[in-house]
Structures are given as C-alpha cells and as structure tokens.
Amino acid sequence: SRRCPRSERASPSAGPVPYPLLPAGRARPSHSEPRGRDGRGEEEEEEEEMEGWQQLYPGHIPTSPLQKALLAAGSAVMALYDPYRHDMVAVLGETTGCLALPNLRDKMKNHPEGYRILQERPRIRLSTLDMARLQGLPDGSLGREYVRFLESNKVSPDTRMPPKFVDDEELAYVIQRYREVHDLMHTLLGMPTNMLGEVVVKWFEAIQTGLPMCVLGAALGPVRLSTRKLQVLATELVPWAIRSGLNASCVLNVYYEQRWEQPVESLREELGIFPPP
C-alpha cells in the first residue's frame, strides 16, 4: 500500500488543528474575511438582510422604496402615452397604493360581506364562472348584464394581471379583487370600455378607492377626448360619477359571485349608485 509522505502524517506533538473539520458543503472561515461589528461575516449579514425580502406569494417581486418610485414614474409615463397598456396601469396601481390599499382592506374587514371575501378569497375568472348559467339568467340581472358587457366589448376577466410589487400578501389580494371587479363597475355604471367610459369609471373608482392610479386616470384621461365629449363629461358624467362615488358604500364589500341573480337596478339602489344619466 502507498505510504503517506512524512509531511502528511499527523505528529503526536503537533498542536491543535486551527479549525475543526466541517461537514461537507460548509465553507471554512477565513482570516481574511471581513467581519462585522458583532463578529459576523459579510455573507452572514447579507443572508440575514435578505430574509426580509422573501417572496410573499407566487409571482411576488420584492422591491425597495427607490425601486418602487422608479417603477411608478416609468409606468405612469407609459400609461399616459398609451392608456390601454394595462400592464403599465397595473404596475402604477401597485407601486403607488401603499396608503389606499390598507384603507380598503380595513373597510373590508369591518364589513360582514367584505370580511368573508377576505377570508374565502374568491376569484373572478373564466375558470370560476359558469358562463352558460349566467347567459341563461333574466335580462337585467347582474350575471346576464355582466356577460353581455364582456361579449359586447370583447373583453375577458382573465386579462387582469396578477400583482407583483405589493409587499403584503393580503393587500395583494385586495388589489387583485379590485382589478377583477373593474368590469362589474362598468356593468353597474352602464359605461362602455371606450375612452369616455373608462374616464367616467376612473372618476367613480378614484372617489371609492383613493388609489393614485385612478386619480391620475380620471384627471388626465380626458385630454384625449373630443370637445363634444369633454362637454358631456364635464356637465353630466363626471358630476354623476362623483356623487355616486361619494354616496355609494364600498364596492369591494359585495360578494358579486353570490349576487348574479340580483337585478342591476336593485344592486345600484342597495349600494347607493344613482341611475346613469
């Protein structure tokens, strides 16, 4: 058998090994590794710092306040340039909703129906909707008018983007719920998806939610409208949307999935939305 060289043999008189043997896969500390004030290495400090940046839900992207500010500025410019860039509108809503979203969550928690929604987390998607049943409901019912809106405007609830930049799992659901009931706001308000209809809905939602993204859309959306539409907007639609938004109870506190048979007019009265002009 091969004999170990003299330099590799352990000597009885040799001093203690500088570092004990470590399990496989563990790095041995180095004298040259910088240490923190409390004796920890930089890698340990970085790992500890990153623990607060873990993914909170599927698709979540942790971001710092500076990163959120840059995302908000960039998405705002793109959304103003092209209001139909729903991805940019979504990013703007998430990065600027740090005050409005907790307020909306508190409103839901303090309402029996809203609290149940937060607990059960329903989703409005094609996979959760019985479209054949909704199409068979009577004219004027919420379910039938909602499907009519989707078909007439060629839109789908599946186009709503999942949240990415909201650093709270429950608040992420709140903004997801807001997005998925947006088309129901169109249905309740009787507004189409053209620019005029979107601006009116944004005025209503701005009053209801306080989301800066809605305020920005309500204030700057009209710049693309014609003079005639601006006149109708200023004299009839915006005053009605503001009065309805102020008078109505929180629209996120309605379990719409259990209200499909309810007539739209009845639900408007219940919420406090005035009839459309």
Side-chain angles (χ1 to χ4, degrees):
S1 61
R2 177 179 173 272
R3 302 182 67 182
C4 294
R6 184 180 301 275
S7 60
E8 294 181 13
R9 297 183 208 162
S11 172
S13 60
V17 180
Y19 293 103
L21 295 178
L22 300 177
R26 293 283 300 278
R28 175 179 294 173
S30 168
H31 285 296
S32 61
E33 180 183 351
R35 312 299 293 180
R37 293 181 183 176
D38 54 0
R40 293 175 300 165
E42 285 184 359
E43 289 184 5
E44 294 175 62
E45 291 179 349
E46 286 177 7
E47 286 177 7
E48 202 168 283
E49 188 176 329
M50 287 301 291
E51 284 180 2
W53 295 77
Q54 74 271 26
Q55 193 179 49
L56 301 177
Y57 50 85
H60 174 232
I61 301 176
T63 47
S64 67
L66 176 59
Q67 290 171 322
K68 281 185 172 60
L70 294 174
L71 285 167
S75 59
V77 171
M78 290 302 299
L80 290 173
Y81 177 74
D82 182 3
Y84 291 101
R85 282 290 303 270
H86 298 299
D87 55 341
M88 293 294 98
V89 174
V91 172
L92 181 61
E94 293 175 32
T95 53
T96 60
C98 55
L99 297 178
L101 289 175
N103 184 46
L104 287 172
R105 176 186 59 188
D106 292 345
K107 287 183 179 180
M108 296 179 74
K109 282 187 172 181
N110 293 325
H111 187 277
E113 202 164 338
Y115 181 76
R116 195 151 57 87
I117 293 170
L118 280 178
Q119 294 300 305
E120 298 179 9
R121 305 283 180 91
R123 296 291 306 275
I124 300 178
R125 303 184 62 81
L126 290 178
S127 59
T128 64
L129 296 174
D130 186 346
M131 298 298 287
R133 173 176 167 267
L134 297 182
Q135 289 171 338
L137 292 175
D139 290 341
S141 64
L142 178 65
R144 183 68 189 95
E145 297 308 316
Y146 174 62
V147 171
R148 197 191 309 278
F149 168 83
L150 296 179
E151 293 172 344
S152 300
N153 294 279
K154 296 179 174 58
V155 294
S156 166
D158 288 358
T159 58
R160 302 300 170 192
M161 292 183 59
K164 296 179 181 178
F165 302 108
V166 179
D167 295 329
D168 183 283
E169 187 266 343
E170 193 172 43
L171 296 182
Y173 175 75
V174 171
I175 198 165
Q176 181 75 54
R177 183 66 175 177
Y178 156 74
R179 289 173 184 168
E180 292 183 356
V181 303
H182 175 75
D183 289 336
L184 283 159
M185 294 304 98
H186 277 273
T187 304
L188 283 172
L189 299 173
M191 291 293 130
T193 57
N194 58 22
M195 186 56 64
L196 180 62
E198 289 291 352
V199 169
V200 174
V201 173
K202 278 292 177 284
W203 273 101
F204 178 83
E205 291 179 340
I207 301 296
Q208 276 276 307
T209 67
L211 286 167
M213 174 265 296
C214 296
V215 176
L216 190 66
L220 300 181
V223 298
R224 294 173 174 266
L225 298 176
S226 66
T227 304
R228 184 180 63 84
K229 289 182 178 180
L230 279 173
Q231 184 178 2
V232 173
L233 186 72
T235 58
E236 297 182 35
L237 296 176
V238 168
W240 164 74
I242 292 176
R243 286 191 301 114
S244 291
L246 291 171
N247 189 64
S249 56
C250 181
V251 292
L252 292 184
N253 286 336
V254 179
Y255 212 137
Y256 296 97
E257 296 88 334
Q258 299 179 357
R259 305 286 198 105
W260 295 130
E261 293 85 0
Q262 185 173 356
V264 171
E265 290 185 7
S266 169
L267 185 53
R268 281 182 190 146
E269 291 177 6
E270 179 184 333
L271 289 173
I273 298 173
F274 300 111

